[in-house]
């Protein structure tokens, strides 16, 4: 699809400037003319101009139409053919965690293809422990890739960590975030021995001698150790909220669904908005029990009204039905290769169902992390049970959210549509990745299962509300990187001759953009306010370096917003592609 702008000549613009004003009360604060404006509004997909007043769109149309909204006090911006689109909406992100890892904890990016040997990774740990982490009681952070250790003769376990961090507890996440490896000191501090049973939904793995090897699989087991980690400082949390917001805005994102939270984070966002410094809409879905450290959110939820503001809302909770395909912690309908193991549930179904019913009854949506196809089916079963108790219309209105959707059985798309669930797909993981070759050995149908991960194309065909989201920090924040990979299933920038993770599953650019704008707004229950450029909605928009519909598919990721506006105000400006935190 190509934009078809109807740009005014300088003479036509002069004539337009001379036209009369709109009716009383409609004159705009700013009018933008001569643009290529992609609205994501199916009733008016393209315009060349728009008017903004009091932070909202007054009208979109031709430059001549929009100039009628100018008066003596209005500002006129000549877009000179630039491409304009709505601000992005990231429906799954962990901004405070990202900056806590960057500023406070150990941090190693596995988002690129740069390989590290075990010795190189160990040196990074050692440098942190002796440098920025020298005063820390614990060494905690992310992430290592299992590929660092594949076919090296070196095992990533407690003994490996002991070699580099022998003097205090250490806990390092894998690249998926659902396996944490701890050293011997951490196991000792938590009292974990060969006789310790893992909390329900988790695994404490043992070595060939029957001793704990340091692998903690899924939150319940991770929490058995990390509950001894010192509490976060409010100062660090507030700084993380501020810094992450600046980075989010720089990438053109003007609304987010934060999939974490606690009383400190609620306070931070509350204070930012009350001070007039919150430059994005924030919906928060905190963990029912904080994934790594185990703290319950229920006491803070009961007082959420103290923290909510015009732009900040706590309207859901986050939970898990299963965990990760690594460590066979995804719940499958078929057993893992060469076994009778169908994977482990993170949360027992009966408890999960009761939580779904309870939180929906409180008027809160439930976001559920699910990876396996059996996990997906059970999430939908719980939503259906909630609909029987709370009423189908209430459940549909809440828009319960299914995070990741790695594997989905064909019949489950219709079930998800019936309960109006948001189906979220994770583009940071659907390109060819070296770790998939290892994972294929475990999957029931090998690489065929992996090829069919993240079936967003089927969700579109079935009429589901589909969204793509970063899951920052587990994958990069940049929406344009993910939008490109939605349309190619290749690594960003890869040519058509390079390897694709199932080219039959790609989707058109229009759908990819919609997944990061209007559909995401629906998932936040903000579609009447944001997500498209329409009269009466917030003037959240971005001016792009190039028209996304006119650049080669593999160059979409290289584009960037030159200017980003929230409620009509300029909040970010770039003269080159923003650099993302590692």
């Amino acid at each position: 699809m190509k934009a078809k702008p109807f740009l005014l000549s300088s003479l036509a613009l002069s004539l337009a400037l001379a036209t009369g004003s709109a009716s009383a009360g409609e004159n705009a604060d700013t009018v933008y003319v001569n643009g290529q404006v992609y609205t994501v509004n199916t009733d008016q997909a393209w315009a060349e101009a728009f008017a903004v007043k009091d932070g909202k769109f007054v009208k979109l149309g031709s430059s001549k139409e929009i100039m009628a909204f100018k008066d003596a006090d209005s500002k006129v911006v000549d877009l000179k053919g630039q491409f304009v689109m709505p601000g992005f909406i990231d429906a799954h992100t962990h901004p405070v965690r990202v900056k806590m890892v960057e500023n406070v904890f150990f941090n190693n990016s596995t988002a690129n293809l740069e390989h590290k040997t075990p010795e190189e990774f160990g040196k990074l740990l050692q440098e942190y422990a002796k440098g920025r982490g020298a005063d820390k009681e614990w060494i905690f952070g992310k992430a290592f890739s299992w590929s660092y250790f594949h076919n090296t003769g070196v095992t990533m376990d407690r003994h490996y960590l002991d070699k580099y961090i022998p003097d205090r507890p250490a806990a390092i996440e894998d690249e998926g975030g659902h396996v944490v490896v701890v050293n011997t000191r951490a196991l000792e501090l938590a009292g974990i021995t060969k006789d310790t049973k893992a909390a329900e939904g988790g695994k404490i793995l043992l070595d060939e001698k029957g001793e704990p090897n340091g692998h903690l699989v899924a939150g319940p087991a991770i929490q058995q150790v990390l509950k001894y980690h010192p509490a976060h400082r409010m100062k660090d949390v507030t700084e993380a909220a501020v810094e992450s917001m600046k980075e989010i805005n720089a990438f053109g994102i003007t609304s987010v669904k934060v999939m974490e939270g606690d009383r400190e984070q609620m306070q931070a966002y509350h204070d930012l908005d009350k001070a007039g410094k919150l430059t994005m809409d924030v919906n928060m879905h905190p963990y029912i029990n904080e994934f790594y450290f185990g703290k319950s959110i229920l006491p803070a939820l009961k007082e959420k009204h103290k923290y909510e503001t015009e732009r900040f809302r706590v309207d859901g909770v986050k939970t898990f039905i299963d965990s990760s395909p690594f460590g066979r912690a995804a719940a499958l309908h078929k057993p893992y290769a060469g076994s009778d193991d169908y994977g482990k549930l993170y949360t027992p179904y009966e408890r999960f169902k009761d939580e779904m019913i309870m939180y929906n009854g409180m008027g809160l949506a439930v976001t559920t992390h699910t990876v396996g196809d059996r996990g997906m089916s059970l999430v939908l079963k719980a939503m259906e049970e909630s609909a029987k108790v709370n009423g189908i219309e209430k459940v549909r209105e809440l828009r319960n959210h299914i995070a990741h959707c790695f594997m989905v059985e064909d019949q489950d798309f219709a079930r998800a549509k019936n309960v109006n669930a948001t189906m979220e797909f994770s583009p940071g993981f659907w390109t060819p990745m070296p770790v998939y070759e290892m994972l294929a050995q475990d999957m029931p149908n090998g690489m065929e299962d992996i090829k069919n991960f993240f079936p967003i194309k089927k969700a579109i065909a079935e009429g589901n509300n589909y969204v793509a989201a970063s899951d920052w920090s587990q994958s990069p924040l940049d929406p344009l990187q993910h939008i490109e990979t939605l349309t190619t299933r290749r690594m960003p920038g890869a040519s058509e001759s390079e390897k694709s993770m199932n080219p039959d599953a790609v989707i058109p650019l229009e759908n990819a953009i919609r997944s990061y704008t209007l559909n995401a707004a629906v998932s936040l229950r903000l579609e009447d306010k944001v997500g498209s450029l329409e009269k009466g909605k917030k003037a959240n928009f971005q001016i792009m370096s190039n028209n996304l519909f006119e650049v080669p598919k593999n160059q979409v990721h290289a584009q960037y917003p030159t200017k980003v506006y929230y409620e009509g105000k300029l909040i970010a400006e770039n003269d080159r592609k923003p650099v993302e935190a590692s």
Side-chain angles (χ1 to χ4, degrees):
M1 178 178 179
K2 296 286 185 181
K4 296 181 179 179
F6 27 92
L7 299 180
L8 292 174
S9 66
S10 58
L11 175 60
L13 179 57
S14 298
L15 291 172
L17 285 167
T19 61
S21 297
S23 60
E26 290 189 63
N27 294 322
D29 298 324
T30 309
V31 294
Y32 296 82
V33 296
N34 293 341
Q36 301 182 72
V37 183
Y38 185 59
T39 70
V40 195
N41 171 12
T42 54
D43 293 332
Q44 184 186 13
W46 291 92
E48 67 167 353
F50 53 92
V52 175
K53 182 174 183 176
D54 297 330
K56 293 182 179 180
F57 293 109
V58 176
K59 186 175 176 63
L60 295 96
S62 69
S63 293
K64 183 175 181 179
E65 290 174 315
I66 298 307
M67 285 305 300
F69 289 81
K70 174 192 174 297
D71 67 10
D73 296 322
S74 302
K75 179 180 179 182
V76 179
V77 177
D78 186 352
L79 292 167
K80 299 179 180 178
Q82 294 177 104
F83 179 72
V84 180
M85 65 178 294
F88 291 125
I89 300 172
D90 194 336
H92 185 154
T93 184
H94 300 265
V96 169
R97 169 175 159 76
V98 168
K99 291 301 176 180
M100 289 288 286
V101 169
E102 182 183 350
N103 297 337
V104 180
F105 302 133
F106 171 77
N107 184 25
N108 171 61
S109 175
T110 60
N112 54 42
L113 293 178
E114 181 184 350
H115 182 76
K116 293 182 176 67
T117 66
E119 292 75 18
E120 288 169 339
F121 182 69
K123 184 178 180 182
L124 290 177
L125 287 170
Q126 204 167 53
E127 288 174 349
Y128 172 83
K130 292 180 178 180
R132 195 158 54 88
D135 63 342
K136 301 288 187 296
E137 293 180 41
W138 279 65
I139 300 300
F140 170 72
K142 63 177 287 285
F144 70 90
S145 172
W146 295 103
S147 65
Y148 296 171
F149 300 88
H150 188 50
N151 291 332
T152 65
V154 178
T155 302
M156 175 50 162
D157 60 9
R158 66 182 174 100
H159 301 297
Y160 171 86
L161 289 181
D162 289 346
K163 177 179 177 181
Y164 296 101
I165 309 171
D167 59 333
R168 57 204 138 140
I172 308 297
E173 302 165 31
D174 77 343
E175 59 203 319
H178 286 256
V179 178
V180 170
V181 179
V182 299
N183 68 356
T184 301
R185 291 291 292 273
L187 291 173
E188 291 173 347
L189 181 64
I192 304 294
T193 70
K194 63 182 180 181
D195 300 317
T196 303
K197 290 186 177 181
E200 191 170 27
K203 296 179 182 179
I204 298 173
L205 301 190
L206 306 178
D207 62 21
E208 65 278 1
K209 296 179 181 179
E211 297 289 340
N213 67 1
H215 289 198
L216 308 174
V217 181
I222 294 168
Q223 293 162 18
Q224 284 177 263
V225 175
L226 284 183
K227 66 183 179 181
Y228 295 99
H229 188 283
H232 303 330
R233 298 184 305 169
M234 187 67 209
K235 175 178 177 291
D236 292 334
V237 172
T238 301
E239 288 178 357
V242 171
E243 288 189 25
S244 61
M245 181 173 63
K246 292 177 181 177
E247 189 162 343
I248 286 167
N249 290 160
F251 280 94
I253 300 167
T254 53
S255 302
V256 295
K257 187 183 285 186
V258 174
M259 296 294 195
E260 62 178 12
D262 50 25
R263 197 179 292 271
E264 288 75 23
Q265 288 198 35
M266 292 179 191
Q267 187 70 58
Y269 286 116
H270 169 276
D271 292 348
L272 280 171
D273 198 17
K274 289 300 182 181
K277 297 179 180 179
L278 190 59
T279 54
M280 58 186 185
D281 303 299
V282 180
N283 283 26
M284 180 178 282
H285 285 207
Y287 295 109
I288 291 174
N289 290 294
E290 206 285 330
F291 181 77
Y292 294 99
F293 305 102
K295 187 177 180 181
S296 172
I297 194 59
L298 195 54
L301 274 182
K302 291 178 178 178
E303 298 182 325
K304 73 186 187 77
H305 61 278
K306 294 182 179 179
Y307 304 100
E308 291 180 314
T309 64
E310 180 183 349
R311 297 169 184 83
F312 171 62
R313 189 172 74 193
V314 183
D315 65 344
V317 293
K318 172 84 180 288
T319 189
F320 299 80
I321 192 68
D322 62 357
S323 186
S324 167
F326 303 104
R328 300 189 172 189
L332 305 182
H333 281 297
K334 295 180 180 179
Y336 285 95
S339 76
D340 58 359
D341 183 358
Y342 289 80
K344 194 172 183 65
L345 291 180
Y346 181 109
T347 308
Y349 175 73
E350 287 300 317
R351 190 173 87 210
F352 176 81
K353 177 198 70 176
D354 291 344
E355 289 175 341
M356 179 74 70
I357 292 170
M358 181 183 80
Y359 286 106
N360 281 179
M362 293 169 61
L364 293 165
V366 175
T367 292
T368 306
H369 167 108
T370 184
V371 173
D373 49 11
R374 180 164 64 95
M376 179 81 179
S377 297
L378 289 173
V379 173
L380 292 169
K381 182 179 178 181
M383 290 182 190
E384 291 160 351
E385 291 295 322
S386 178
K388 292 177 184 177
V389 176
N390 295 307
I392 185 66
E393 292 307 321
K394 180 172 183 175
V395 168
R396 287 171 176 166
E397 175 57 28
L398 289 173
R399 301 164 202 188
N400 291 308
H401 186 131
I402 307 171
H404 304 308
C405 297
F406 271 71
M407 304 171 71
V408 186
E409 292 205 313
D410 286 345
Q411 65 268 25
D412 282 346
F413 291 99
R415 296 174 68 197
K417 184 177 179 180
N418 182 55
V419 293
N420 198 29
T422 295
M423 296 186 70
E424 174 217 319
F425 300 87
S426 305
F429 304 105
W430 60 34
T431 55
M433 300 170 68
V435 74
Y436 281 149
E437 295 178 12
M438 296 171 57
L439 182 59
Q441 301 169 23
D442 272 350
M443 300 305 294
N445 300 301
M447 191 57 75
E448 187 67 19
D449 285 330
I450 291 170
K451 184 182 78 171
N452 292 313
F453 279 177
F454 311 113
I456 190 170
K457 186 176 182 179
K458 288 185 178 180
I460 294 171
E462 294 293 330
N464 297 99
N465 187 48
Y466 61 93
V467 303
S470 69
D471 193 13
W472 193 47
S473 64
Q474 299 305 333
S475 74
L477 173 65
D478 182 9
L480 290 168
Q481 176 175 322
H482 301 316
I483 285 170
E484 177 182 314
T485 59
L486 271 166
T487 69
T488 66
R489 292 268 175 153
R490 296 184 177 90
M491 299 302 291
S495 69
E496 291 187 8
S497 64
E498 295 182 57
K499 186 177 181 181
S500 170
M501 184 175 156
N502 193 359
D504 293 335
V506 302
I507 66 173
L509 179 59
E510 292 92 333
N511 295 107
I513 291 173
R514 190 179 181 91
S515 74
Y516 250 102
T517 52
L518 188 54
N519 283 14
V522 171
S523 82
L524 271 67
R525 290 188 281 169
L526 291 175
E527 71 272 22
D528 60 330
K529 296 180 179 179
V530 300
S532 59
L533 309 186
E534 297 183 53
K535 179 180 178 179
K537 287 192 175 184
K538 289 187 177 187
N540 297 353
F541 63 95
Q542 51 187 325
I543 301 172
M544 281 287 173
S545 54
N546 284 291
N547 187 328
L548 300 186
F549 292 94
E550 295 180 348
V551 299
K553 276 187 178 181
N554 68 349
Q555 290 303 304
V556 168
H557 77 281
Q559 307 313 310
Y560 60 91
T562 59
K563 293 183 178 181
V564 184
Y565 294 81
Y566 176 71
E567 297 181 355
K569 296 179 180 177
L570 182 66
I571 58 169
E573 197 165 6
N574 301 306
D575 59 6
R576 60 178 63 86
K577 184 83 175 178
V579 177
E580 187 169 334
S582 60

